[in-house]
Amino acid sequence: MQVDITINNSSDRQARYLTWAPSPLRLRLADVPTLGPPVTVTLASERDPAGGDLLFRAASPTAPKPAPTLKVALPRNGSSVTVRVYGRFGRPSLVDGDVRVVARFKSNVIGKLPVMVRVRKDAARLSPAERDRFVAALAQLNDRGTGRFADFRNMHVLASTDEAHGAAGFLPWHRAYLLDLERELQAIDPSVALPYWRFDRPAASLFTREFLGETDALGNAEFHPANPLTFWTTDGVLGVIRRAQPGFDPATMAARGVFSEADTLALGTNFAAFTAMEGNPHGTAHVSSFSGPITSVPTAARDPLFFLLHCNVDRLWARWQRKNKRFDPATPASYASGATPTSLRVGHNLNDTMWPWNGVVTPPRPVNAPGGTLSGSPTVSRPGPQPRVRDMLDYQGSVAPASVLGFAYDDVS
Ligand SMILES: [Cu+2]
């Protein structure tokens, strides 16, 4: 007897990735005599010692909470039953396939599928292997200045100032931007998730030659010869320009003057109040500790650190959303949508599509739209190629399960 296991409605290997949000898991009996009662199988995880872990739940809305095991009765006629599988919060994977979905009949294993609990982690706490996979994927996306990274560089330029900064859409726009980049990295190596820079803490292992580079006296980031970021090229220039400001040591100090996480989360319980975080900690983290391209909107995306900085900004929004239950676009406090649907600058209203993914190049939008539509994902269908501001809020499907965007943070349940 054998059971076929399918995750995220796809037999594609690239679909076998989980977060804390539920993913559909489909079971179907193969090779069984058609006569007789349903066959009850038990789902559980089988994990490596430091591997990810899983929880399961029946699909019915009234089903009990997610649990480490789940009994499922499967019909003998080969029709399928769909349940839910979750990464177990606090137990993300270290490497691909370090946890398996196992289906047992009595004590016999009759089905097994390797998966990964893939979430965004603190860059300073990645394992060397996680770090190296991320760096390799990012360097490949850049491809010595000839790769698709150039699109991401070109999306965050002067033209993006009105579309993505200084107003309510700042957080949703950058969430879409990071998701687009992360999906491109995952197309290169599906085991990669974007790490975040906790700029409110020292990050000794991040500013090293093996990772994002150690700044030298001339203001360049120095890389180990084996680090593929050695060949990082943007705007036709090889290398990463980043200089620690006098007296600043990123290995032992937090970025200077940035609000602590607690102070950031305490900015207010309405989105309008929370948007003050665009100034501090976001803007402060950009300008207070390093000099170089990172300090200015049109050039910041030249520095790979920019994406880790913004990943932490997005994580702070996610933590704030979790703390205050601000996932529902229909709740006014979840977003500063203004009194009427068009009360804010174009691109910042809840129902607006966002540039450049919408391809709109007529005023007041910028004159070009680099990068094309937003990359799709093998694991989820949202937000679609032309995301709206509202599509960015319910990223874990807390309000509407179909809204899930396919990413999560290690410390946001
Ligand atoms: Cu920006």
Side-chain angles (χ1 to χ4, degrees):
M1 184 157 40
Q2 195 191 320
V3 64
D4 294 332
I5 305 172
T6 307
I7 297 228
N8 289 323
N9 303 312
S10 170
S11 51
D12 186 345
R13 277 192 57 85
Q14 306 243 13
R16 297 175 190 170
Y17 295 85
L18 305 171
T19 67
W20 316 134
S23 287
L25 185 158
R26 200 169 68 223
L27 297 166
R28 195 179 70 86
L29 282 178
D31 309 328
V32 283
T34 49
L35 287 177
V39 173
T40 297
V41 302
T42 303
L43 290 172
S45 68
E46 174 195 87
R47 54 190 294 263
D48 293 348
D53 204 359
L54 310 176
L55 296 173
F56 304 90
R57 187 186 192 193
S60 143
T62 57
K65 278 196 204 154
T69 63
L70 179 68
K71 287 192 190 312
V72 187
L74 297 177
R76 287 173 177 261
N77 64 5
S79 60
S80 62
V81 173
T82 300
V83 300
R84 306 275 176 260
V85 58
Y86 304 67
R88 184 176 189 164
F89 182 66
R91 295 266 184 86
S93 288
L94 267 177
V95 295
D96 214 339
D98 66 8
V99 57
R100 276 80 55 194
V101 174
V102 173
R104 286 190 180 82
F105 176 65
K106 304 202 164 114
S107 58
N108 300 320
V109 172
I110 59 167
K112 190 185 278 204
L113 190 74
V115 297
M116 181 179 193
V117 182
R118 180 184 65 187
V119 299
R120 298 175 178 179
K121 298 180 180 179
D122 183 344
R125 297 181 179 192
L126 295 185
S127 72
E130 288 177 308
R131 174 199 68 199
D132 291 348
R133 291 198 307 266
F134 168 70
V135 158
L138 189 62
Q140 190 174 325
L141 192 67
N142 177 260
D143 198 10
R144 304 186 185 210
T146 68
R148 256 224 77 194
F149 179 80
D151 287 333
F152 291 92
R153 159 72 187 100
N154 293 335
M155 287 155 75
H156 202 273
V157 288
L158 194 58
S160 73
T161 301
D162 281 355
E163 298 292 322
H165 301 89
F170 166 73
L171 286 166
W173 190 92
H174 285 84
R175 179 166 284 175
Y177 181 58
L178 295 181
L179 187 62
D180 198 6
L181 179 89
E182 184 176 63
R183 287 178 173 188
E184 291 290 339
L185 296 175
Q186 288 167 349
I188 293 168
D189 181 348
S191 73
V192 164
L194 203 56
Y196 56 86
W197 171 33
R198 281 281 315 244
F199 39 63
D200 60 331
R201 290 178 178 173
S205 61
L206 178 57
F207 298 98
T208 59
R209 288 153 54 88
E210 288 74 22
F211 203 163
L212 286 194
E214 201 174 271
T215 56
D216 66 13
L218 298 171
N220 298 305
E222 292 270 359
F223 297 104
H224 189 279
N227 184 340
L229 292 178
T230 303
F231 304 105
W232 184 259
T233 302
T234 64
D235 302 76
V237 177
L238 175 72
V240 175
I241 299 167
R242 187 193 316 133
R243 186 197 298 260
Q245 291 182 12
F248 176 67
D249 176 7
T252 59
M253 299 161 69
R256 286 192 292 208
V258 294
F259 282 166
S260 69
E261 187 162 306
D263 288 348
T264 304
L265 297 179
L267 283 168
T269 58
N270 284 341
F271 186 84
F274 186 65
T275 58
M277 68 95 82
E278 186 180 351
N280 194 348
H282 160 259
T284 304
H286 266 286
V287 302
S288 72
S289 303
F290 295 103
S291 50
I294 190 101
T295 58
S296 150
V297 168
T299 57
R302 290 183 193 177
D303 186 340
L305 176 63
F306 168 76
F307 296 92
L308 283 70
L309 185 164
H310 260 281
C311 192
N312 196 45
V313 168
D314 188 70
R315 170 183 155 277
L316 288 166
W317 181 27
R319 285 184 74 80
W320 177 88
Q321 288 185 290
R322 170 60 70 210
K323 183 180 171 203
N324 299 296
K325 298 192 174 67
R326 295 289 184 252
F327 298 105
D328 190 351
T331 303
S334 296
Y335 188 73
S337 60
T340 68
T342 57
S343 61
L344 301 176
R345 191 198 294 158
V346 66
H348 295 262
N349 296 284
L350 201 55
N351 293 315
D352 289 351
T353 57
M354 293 186 282
W355 173 94
W357 303 283
N358 62 9
V360 178
V361 292
T362 48
R365 301 284 193 169
V367 297
N368 62 358
T373 54
L374 194 133
S375 302
S377 159
T379 64
V380 296
S381 58
R382 297 290 181 90
Q386 301 192 347
R388 298 166 300 176
V389 169
R390 66 180 305 127
D391 298 325
M392 292 297 119
L393 271 58
D394 189 20
Y395 79 98
Q396 295 225 79
S398 311
V399 180
S403 302
V404 67
L405 297 181
F407 72 91
Y409 291 97
D410 59 354
D411 63 352
V412 187
S413 61

